[in-house]
Amino acid sequence: MSDLILKINNLKKWYGINKVFEDVCLEVRPKEVVSIVGTSGSGKTTLLRCIILLEEFQGGSIIIDGNEIGYHIVNSERKRYSEKVFSSQRILTGMVFQSFNLFPHLTALQNLTLGLIKVKHIDKSEANKIGIKLLERVGLGEKIHSYPSKLSGGQQQRVAIARAIAMKPKIMLFDEVTSSLDPELVGEVLNVIKQLAKDGTTMIIVTHEMNFAYEVSDKVVFMDAGRIAAIGTPHEIFIEKKLPRLKEFLLNFNK
Amino acid sequence: MLYYFSFRAIQNNIGDMLNGLGLGLFMGVISLSFGIILGLIFAFAAVSSNRALNNIAILYTAFFRNTPLLILVFITYFGLPEVGIMMERTISFIFTLSLYAGAYMTEIFRAGLQAIPKGIIEAGQAIGLSRFHICWNIQLPIMFRYVLPSMSNSLISLFKDTSLAAAVTVPELTYFARKLNIETFQMLEAWGTAAFLYLVTCYLLSYLLRKLEHKLRIE
Amino acid sequence: MNTAALAFFAIIIGTTLGILFGFILCYGNKYLKFPFRLFVDIIRGIPGLVTIFSIYYILGFLLSGLGINLTNLQSGIIALSALSTAQVAEITRGALQSIPKGQIEAGKTIGLSFDKIFVFILFPQVILQIIPPWINTATEMTKGSTLLSLIGVSELLLTAHQLVATFGSALPYYMSVGLIFFLINTLIQLFGKLLEKKSSYYQ
């Protein structure tokens, strides 16, 4: 257990009177790439958002690199950490969103350096160096001074990935990052992610791109109606398809 | 029906009227500035998750937008001295107009803040930005770009509202126009000049502000 | 008491004329538009107070030359009506111009003549767009009635002045009058929200 980078125990989330998910358990080792697939509404995006503390959860625990995040037990009562602590815990993970969410009033480079300067207190010239290198790494060295509105969807998403990586998170989270992209732009983003996997980044990827998930993952999680219905290697999930529910689900994709 | 149009009348008084115009512009800009500060405070109160703050903001906005400005001016100038707060007339008018402007700014800023896609705020949270930094480095810059046109319109409106200062004898353009009218009965000269000056100023303001908007939009 | 009548008439006249002017401004040809454009731009480019004084003094003088003596109340109503007409004209023009051309074309393709297109397709949408700003105009006119106290029209604020002059203490009277207007306008705003809710059923 001590070499796990992420351990989720019996995570439970309700939204009002609706259960979003329950009894979710997950273990992720360093440098592992985990894909989460499942029906819409199965809670996969919400799970990701809980890990980066953009959602509250009512039960269970999330432990990143030995630190329990979000809530702790004080005098046998479950208490939420303050917003300040939340901010410091959020940078343990990095998140790339489906709708990119780049800051529209900042250039690509500035999108990256904002966090470095304000959160990590790195000075401006050093932050710029880091930012430029990262943007070159995702193939956008010529666009460092471009504003998001002048970039294509694929380019924006690559900037978003670089922005998340810049904060050196322990785990990278990808929330259906290609779902909003025109088909011809999907490839450039997936290639960046594949490269990150090769470089040894720990990643959890929620996706509908089954081919991609098969190619890049060490482990695949299938979620259905608020529970983890199956966990296995890509081969086990996509080829063997032991569960009937899983078979049904995969029928919707031409694999 | 005899009316002698005299340019003399305009000539003799144009100095005063221009001074009055200048004062009007000055009061408008000062009130807008204070209004912006108030607007920022109350707009954040209006969008905060704190119920009490929401209600305070709603009350402030509703009160200053639904009550006639003239009555507010009188309350400040005639009424406040009775509870010990005395202000010189121009200052009292600017005070009132600032509070009034603040209410309109609150509405404008509130709408601007709420128009920012939630995802952008979340992206800021995801990279660990504190609430202060999200507000200062993300929300405010984006909001101001959204609301610039509305703010321009507000400046022009506020400038026109400064004419009410005449009601408490602040030496503003309208005051001089009325003075000229009452003293000399040269009503066309008085009101014609005043109307002309207001029109030209509003037109110029609108033109300059639109150019400013254009410059800031190229990014 | 007079306040209510004033604001009411001004709003009614203003709305009717304003809608008419708005149509002219949107659909009229160059020459037809010109005088109306001039009217609207002048009224909206000068403070309301200046309009009120101008009409009171200048129009009053002109008409007295023709033997008509305008009472303060009458010039007040004319002034407020002019103000509301200009505002409503702009609102209407804006609403009309923002209707996507596609709607008119769609109507034509199913064979409707211009006036039928108008009534069934455009009009409902136009009305919906006009309601919120129109409520604002109503509020502005109610507030504007107080300006008429400066030309001696006997309305609420003037009455307050008189009471203050008689009894000496300003704060309570002005505050009460302020409160009354606040309540009236709040009611108008709430009414507006109700209208918006009801009409949005058809969206």
Side-chain angles (χ1 to χ4, degrees):
Chain A
M1 157 150 174
S2 50
D3 71 329
L4 287 174
I5 194 127
L6 172 68
K7 184 153 172 43
I8 301 181
N9 293 317
N10 299 95
L11 204 65
K12 181 171 20 194
K13 178 168 173 69
W14 290 74
Y15 202 74
I17 54 168
N18 298 313
K19 177 192 76 166
V20 180
F21 53 69
E22 208 167 40
D23 288 330
V24 168
C25 299
L26 185 62
E27 288 180 4
V28 179
R29 280 184 294 280
K31 305 203 185 191
E32 224 184 340
V33 176
V34 178
S35 289
I36 305 184
V37 303
T39 53
S40 356
S42 56
K44 28 193 226 299
T45 292
T46 317
L47 178 59
L48 229 56
R49 288 166 62 88
C50 285
I51 299 176
I52 194 165
L53 294 179
L54 284 176
E55 297 277 354
E56 313 273 323
F57 49 93
Q58 285 74 30
S61 61
I62 301 180
I63 302 173
I64 300 181
D65 208 17
N67 303 306
E68 186 172 352
I69 64 168
Y71 305 82
H72 60 317
I73 310 285
V74 166
N75 297 332
S76 48
E77 229 188 276
R78 185 176 183 268
K79 288 202 111 173
R80 188 191 190 273
Y81 282 114
S82 70
E83 199 51 41
K84 205 170 164 204
V85 176
F86 263 48
S87 297
S88 63
Q89 290 175 341
R90 285 194 186 113
I91 53 177
L92 290 171
T93 49
M95 171 88 127
V96 185
F97 300 85
Q98 182 176 347
S99 45
F100 333 137
N101 292 333
L102 291 182
F103 307 128
H105 61 301
L106 300 177
T107 63
L109 182 59
Q110 288 166 337
N111 260 273
L112 263 70
T113 57
L114 183 64
L116 295 174
I117 298 173
K118 303 288 179 186
V119 180
K120 297 221 154 170
H121 305 295
I122 298 176
D123 74 69
K124 195 160 177 213
S125 52
E126 185 60 34
N128 280 338
K129 279 201 204 124
I130 299 175
I132 295 177
K133 245 172 90 199
L134 272 171
L135 283 170
E136 286 172 352
R137 195 170 148 200
V138 298
L140 291 169
E142 286 155 8
K143 301 277 183 184
I144 58 179
H145 294 306
S146 300
Y147 284 96
S149 55
K150 301 277 192 273
L151 300 172
S152 74
Q155 291 169 327
Q156 287 187 55
Q157 198 60 297
R158 286 187 275 156
V159 175
I161 295 176
R163 177 177 66 178
I165 295 275
M167 300 297 287
K168 295 216 171 73
K170 306 222 190 279
I171 310 173
M172 277 290 283
L173 305 171
F174 294 86
D175 184 12
E176 298 198 35
V177 301
T178 53
S179 300
S180 311
L181 293 175
D182 290 333
E184 69 267 18
L185 300 172
V186 168
E188 67 194 56
V189 175
L190 293 183
N191 285 333
V192 170
I193 303 180
K194 280 187 205 165
Q195 186 58 46
L196 285 175
K198 282 211 191 100
D199 296 337
T201 317
T202 315
M203 301 193 278
I204 304 180
I205 307 173
V206 170
T207 186
H208 288 310
E209 299 279 340
M210 300 303 167
N211 283 324
F212 174 70
Y214 179 77
E215 259 186 75
V216 84
S217 324
D218 298 310
K219 188 152 81 183
V220 177
V221 171
F222 171 63
M223 277 187 82
D224 182 35
R227 319 165 358 259
I228 292 188
I231 302 187
T233 64
H235 185 87
E236 283 166 8
I237 298 285
F238 292 120
I239 311 288
E240 289 173 29
K241 301 181 229 181
K242 292 191 193 132
L243 277 182
R245 192 75 191 87
L246 182 56
K247 267 213 189 110
E248 229 185 285
F249 169 70
L250 287 170
L251 274 177
N252 292 323
F253 300 88
N254 289 324
K255 252 226 77 172
Chain B
M1 167 166 108
L2 295 165
Y3 190 86
Y4 295 108
F5 191 84
S6 100
F7 274 113
R8 236 324 133 71
I10 301 182
Q11 237 181 313
N12 290 337
N13 290 282
I14 196 73
D16 280 337
M17 289 179 120
L18 283 175
N19 281 331
L21 181 66
L23 183 62
L25 272 174
F26 174 74
M27 291 195 289
V29 171
I30 301 269
S31 306
L32 182 68
S33 311
F34 283 124
I36 291 178
I37 298 174
L38 285 169
L40 284 174
I41 298 174
F42 282 99
F44 276 104
V47 302
S48 94
S49 40
N50 182 327
R51 253 319 182 74
L53 286 178
N54 288 148
N55 291 332
I56 294 177
I58 292 178
L59 210 66
Y60 168 68
T61 326
F63 178 67
F64 281 95
R65 290 177 68 197
N66 288 345
T67 313
L69 183 56
L70 195 58
I71 297 185
L72 294 171
V73 171
F74 286 148
I75 292 179
T76 316
Y77 187 60
F78 293 119
L80 286 188
E82 288 173 11
V83 290
I85 309 174
M86 309 217 22
M87 284 185 260
E88 188 261 344
R89 69 194 80 178
T90 313
I91 299 193
S92 114
F93 182 77
I94 294 180
F95 177 76
T96 316
L97 196 60
S98 302
L99 287 174
Y100 184 75
Y104 281 89
M105 288 296 115
T106 307
E107 265 312 285
I108 292 177
F109 291 160
R110 187 195 52 80
L113 284 175
Q114 289 178 330
I116 300 177
K118 237 182 116 209
I120 293 185
I121 314 277
E122 287 182 349
Q125 289 175 311
I127 57 176
L129 288 173
S130 67
R131 263 211 202 142
F132 170 73
H133 283 308
I134 291 181
C135 169
W136 188 256
N137 294 105
I138 298 177
Q139 285 179 294
L140 288 182
I142 298 180
M143 180 205 79
F144 272 115
R145 280 164 178 75
Y146 282 175
V147 303
L148 214 59
S150 304
M151 277 174 59
S152 305
N153 287 338
S154 299
L155 177 59
I156 297 180
S157 270
L158 280 177
F159 168 62
K160 287 192 286 173
D161 288 332
T162 60
S163 68
L164 265 68
V168 288
T169 65
V170 167
E172 198 273 338
L173 176 53
T174 308
Y175 169 78
F176 284 119
R178 193 168 188 213
K179 183 162 178 278
L180 180 59
N181 185 6
I182 292 181
E183 287 173 2
T184 69
F185 293 102
Q186 306 294 112
M187 45 194 79
L188 270 183
E189 292 86 332
W191 297 110
T193 319
F196 177 74
L197 287 174
Y198 275 117
L199 274 175
V200 168
T201 314
C202 284
Y203 188 73
L204 274 175
L205 270 180
S206 161
Y207 175 73
L208 289 171
L209 288 169
R210 234 172 315 147
K211 278 198 100 173
L212 189 68
E213 275 172 51
H214 251 270
K215 273 187 97 176
L216 289 176
R217 200 170 301 170
I218 314 276
E219 36 106 48
Chain C
M1 321 1 102
N2 262 336
T3 303
L6 269 175
F8 186 70
F9 279 121
I11 295 174
I12 301 283
I13 300 177
T15 311
T16 332
L17 282 181
I19 294 186
L20 180 65
F21 285 20
F23 272 96
I24 298 179
L25 286 176
C26 180
Y27 296 122
N29 67 55
K30 265 201 309 193
Y31 301 104
L32 185 59
K33 270 204 253 200
F34 186 71
F36 294 99
R37 188 76 257 168
L38 204 65
F39 171 76
V40 170
D41 283 347
I42 292 181
I43 302 278
R44 295 187 77 226
I46 67 179
L49 195 54
V50 171
T51 311
I52 291 174
F53 280 135
S54 302
I55 291 191
Y56 176 64
Y57 288 115
I58 299 179
L59 199 64
F61 178 76
L62 286 174
L63 289 181
S64 73
L66 297 168
I68 310 173
N69 281 310
L70 275 187
T71 68
N72 299 356
L73 183 62
Q74 287 166 336
S75 19
I77 295 186
I78 296 178
L80 277 188
S81 303
L83 287 172
S84 55
T85 305
Q87 268 199 11
V88 176
E90 263 309 284
I91 296 173
T92 316
R93 182 195 60 79
L96 287 173
Q97 281 184 336
S98 71
I99 297 177
K101 290 231 156 98
Q103 299 273 348
I104 304 187
E105 285 167 13
K108 284 197 187 139
T109 59
I110 56 177
L112 296 175
S113 68
F114 192 71
D115 17 321
K116 286 238 182 69
I117 295 184
F118 217 71
V119 173
F120 290 113
I121 302 179
L122 300 181
F123 210 60
Q125 297 185 35
V126 167
I127 297 282
L128 235 90
Q129 268 210 282
I130 290 185
I131 291 183
W134 180 82
I135 291 286
N136 272 333
T137 307
T139 312
E140 293 292 318
M141 288 307 119
T142 315
K143 296 198 287 181
S145 68
T146 57
L147 295 181
L148 298 182
S149 66
L150 298 174
I151 57 171
V153 174
S154 138
E155 50 74 67
L156 224 58
L157 185 54
L158 193 67
T159 319
H161 284 324
Q162 291 161 346
L163 288 174
V164 172
T166 324
F167 292 109
S169 94
L171 201 55
Y173 294 112
Y174 289 134
M175 292 217 81
S176 335
V177 173
L179 210 69
I180 296 178
F181 275 102
F182 172 68
L183 289 172
I184 297 178
N185 278 326
T186 311
L187 282 173
I188 296 181
Q189 296 279 351
L190 288 176
F191 173 66
K193 292 224 173 94
L194 204 75
L195 278 180
E196 271 179 72
K197 263 203 202 134
K198 291 201 123 176
S199 52
S200 69
Y201 277 154
Y202 302 122
Q203 293 277 11

